[in-house]
Amino acid sequence: MIWNDDFETLPREAIEALQFKRLKQTLERVYATVPFYQNMFKQAGLTPADIRSLDDLRKIPFTYKQDMRDNYPYGLFAVPLDQIVRIHASSGTTGKPTVVGYTKRDIDMWSELMARSFAAAGATSTDVIHNSYGYGLFTGGLGAHYGAERLGASVIPMSGGNTKKQMLIMKDFGSTVITCTPSYSLYLAEALAEEGIDPSELKLRVGILGAEPWSEAMRAEIEAKLGIKAIDIYGLSEILGPGVAIECIEAQNGLHIWEDHFIPEIIDPATGEVLPYGEKGELVITTITKEGIPMIRYRTRDITRILPEPCICGRTHVRLERLSGRTDDMLIIRGVNVFPSQIESVLCNIDGVEPHYQLIVDRDGNLDTLEVQVEVNEQVFSDEIKVMQALNNEIRKQIKDLLGITCKIRLVEPKTITRSEGKAQRVIDRR
Ligand code: DLL
């Protein structure tokens, strides 16, 4: 169902006109209120008046996560603190968290975009939405919660953890939609199987999964194991939280990015050059309606391409191809660029292994080494050693064929790789 026909099906020219109008307002506002942006414009020899078309956006320098750190905690806020009604933060792996603030209108806009996203995923006011994204500083829990309420659905604020209780509630309360990370949905599928609960005994029909990279092959696993449609949702706290882009249930092919609120660009991460639609590169996003902390040309570090072709669902907003990973998660193994999601695709398509894996990167002298640890299923585990050996060779060969690198495969016992309740940690880099 289309939640907001007026905006979601706007013709291209109307989207662009609206984007330009909102961009100008945003630029004028940040120039007037945020010293960081004022400096940035001055250093580039620009004022907001120099931006005369959408194309002129590329004259403006990029902003980076580091800029948020340098202005920690509130330096990039464009309104005084008394207008901020909510603060979230993302932990990140190094240093201080990045802090974001929302005005009342921002929360309203976010709820609206999340409701819109839920509707695109096929959820309606009759659904019971089981929200297993973590509540707290992470944007997943509250972001999905407010959106589900706006949709008019019945939301169960589960948060992460306590899988036994999650299962009980899911069954007894008749949850129809689950919101969580793809890795947690698999964990749940496994836990249900252990409890002897067949997914057909549940009312679950859709999973709205995101917050970490996953592959098409992983989607097939999740859909088969839980008997649901799995929908990919994207977002990041710096830009909003969940609800920046989502797949529609009609096509399940590419994530519509809500262009009446965000301007996406794809750039070459090495040179910063803007790439044409269809080419793969780093996603850069400009927010054009956010008040608390507007972001101009923010380097997301996420790798994707923009798919401008019309979609069968009738929405006119361009789609992002499934995100293949982050520039900073990309492993460089002996000169070859490897995304964990590529290895995941290989593993998910091989019989006998489970979609639970971890990549151990190390250095032996000057050589990078990659060990793929993956769980085998009970059947293979109890089989003869030669079955394991054949499987090992098969995985090694398929990875070599796909990526051109030789890696070590370690088949591990079922249920030995740590399960995640939030974002899965796929890579352990010991270099
Ligand atoms: O993960 C917001 C979110 C919550 C999105 C719930 C979807 C659902 P952060 O913690 O700031 O925010 O992490 C953002 O996670 O830059 C991507 O690298 C990654 N990411 C998020 N969604 C996807 C996805 C939330 N669907 C970072 N596919 C982003 C791949 C994703 N990566």
Side-chain angles (χ1 to χ4, degrees):
M1 186 197 72
I2 292 185
W3 176 254
N4 185 334
D5 224 349
D6 289 349
F7 284 96
E8 290 177 67
T9 59
L10 278 179
R12 178 89 336 228
E13 314 77 67
I15 292 183
E16 288 179 3
L18 183 64
Q19 283 183 325
F20 182 63
K21 183 176 131 213
R22 292 180 164 179
L23 173 66
K24 288 289 280 183
Q25 289 166 349
T26 299
L27 294 177
E28 273 152 24
R29 211 150 41 75
V30 296
Y31 189 76
T33 55
V34 186
F36 165 83
Y37 282 117
Q38 209 172 70
N39 280 337
M40 187 173 96
F41 270 92
K42 280 190 179 143
Q43 274 173 15
L46 292 171
T47 71
D50 295 315
I51 308 304
R52 297 197 182 86
S53 67
L54 275 182
D55 271 349
D56 282 347
L57 180 60
R58 60 183 71 181
K59 292 182 178 166
I60 305 174
F62 298 116
T63 52
Y64 299 84
K65 196 173 190 104
Q66 189 59 39
D67 296 322
M68 303 191 88
R69 297 220 173 92
D70 292 346
N71 291 282
Y72 177 85
Y74 300 146
L76 292 187
F77 286 17
V79 298
L81 215 50
D82 71 349
Q83 290 179 36
I84 294 289
V85 298
R86 173 102 65 82
I87 294 170
H88 281 286
S90 87
S91 49
T93 42
T94 49
K96 296 199 165 132
T98 40
V99 183
V100 287
Y102 302 76
T103 64
K104 222 172 155 78
R105 272 182 57 186
D106 289 337
I107 295 289
D108 189 60
M109 177 273 274
W110 186 14
S111 309
E112 191 62 24
L113 287 192
M114 269 309 291
R116 198 194 266 191
S117 301
F118 275 124
T124 71
S125 61
T126 59
D127 275 300
V128 176
I129 299 184
H130 186 107
N131 185 19
S132 305
Y133 285 121
Y135 284 66
L137 287 176
F138 177 53
T139 52
L142 284 169
H145 185 106
Y146 274 57
E149 284 191 355
R150 177 67 61 95
L151 181 72
S154 316
V155 52
I156 308 176
M158 282 306 304
S159 198
N162 203 346
T163 301
K164 269 206 172 349
K165 188 157 178 197
Q166 301 248 4
M167 291 190 289
L168 176 98
I169 288 193
M170 186 168 284
K171 196 158 173 245
D172 293 354
F173 292 18
S175 311
T176 56
V177 173
I178 179 154
T179 50
C180 64
T181 57
S183 53
Y184 187 66
S185 74
L186 271 181
Y187 179 15
L188 205 57
E190 183 179 76
L192 286 166
E194 268 170 23
E195 289 285 304
I197 303 175
D198 190 284
S200 65
E201 295 169 41
L202 304 174
K203 294 207 173 126
L204 215 54
R205 57 180 191 86
V206 178
I208 300 177
L209 316 177
E212 66 185 8
W214 51 312
S215 60
E216 210 43 54
M218 181 71 92
R219 175 186 350 241
E221 291 266 351
I222 294 169
E223 292 195 332
K225 288 194 164 137
L226 281 173
I228 58 171
K229 285 254 180 214
I231 302 291
D232 193 0
I233 182 167
Y234 169 78
L236 63 170
S237 34
E238 298 91 315
I239 294 301
L240 184 71
V244 173
I246 191 163
E247 285 179 331
C248 55
I249 195 159
E250 292 89 342
Q252 276 188 301
N253 180 15
L255 297 82
H256 291 280
I257 175 162
W258 303 126
E259 287 188 275
D260 48 340
H261 297 270
F262 311 105
I263 303 179
E265 299 172 272
I266 299 292
I267 63 158
D268 176 332
T271 63
E273 182 203 349
V274 178
L275 301 176
Y277 280 2
E279 282 191 35
K280 201 166 191 159
E282 180 179 344
L283 175 66
V284 169
I285 302 179
T286 299
T287 67
I288 50 176
T289 51
K290 215 157 61 139
E291 294 181 334
I293 175 162
M295 295 304 297
I296 310 296
R297 300 197 86 203
Y298 182 68
R299 300 270 305 244
T300 66
R301 300 193 187 171
D302 292 318
I303 304 290
T304 181
R305 61 178 114 232
I306 292 178
L307 312 169
E309 295 76 23
C311 183
I312 52 165
C313 71
R315 292 179 183 81
T316 50
H317 299 215
V318 293
R319 282 172 285 169
L320 305 178
E321 182 183 69
R322 175 188 284 286
L323 292 106
S324 45
R326 294 174 60 77
T327 50
D328 37 7
D329 284 347
M330 189 181 73
L331 302 168
I332 305 183
I333 308 289
R334 282 164 263 143
V336 179
N337 298 346
V338 178
F339 282 108
S341 58
Q342 294 175 297
I343 293 182
E344 178 179 300
S345 301
V346 170
L347 297 176
C348 286
N349 283 319
I350 291 183
D351 283 342
V353 298
E354 293 292 320
H356 301 287
Y357 67 96
Q358 219 160 29
L359 310 179
I360 319 288
V361 189
D362 211 337
R363 186 161 283 156
D364 183 8
N366 284 325
L367 267 193
D368 301 317
T369 59
L370 172 64
E371 177 176 293
V372 177
Q373 296 187 352
V374 59
E375 285 179 14
V376 294
N377 63 24
E378 297 283 356
Q379 164 81 47
V380 169
F381 189 65
S382 55
D383 248 324
E384 290 170 41
I385 197 91
K386 40 174 219 261
V387 175
M388 293 269 267
Q389 224 134 39
L391 192 56
N392 192 313
N393 293 340
E394 179 61 21
I395 299 172
R396 206 175 44 227
K397 178 174 177 303
Q398 288 204 20
I399 291 178
K400 171 95 187 176
D401 289 349
L402 180 74
L403 301 167
I405 55 165
T406 307
C407 53
K408 189 171 160 201
I409 310 296
R410 205 149 80 101
L411 300 176
V412 299
E413 270 183 60
K415 312 208 169 95
T416 44
I417 288 177
T418 316
R419 301 293 187 258
S420 99
E421 288 168 350
K423 300 186 190 233
Q425 200 198 354
R426 303 290 191 197
V427 179
I428 298 177
D429 200 331
R430 300 206 173 115
R431 291 176 295 186

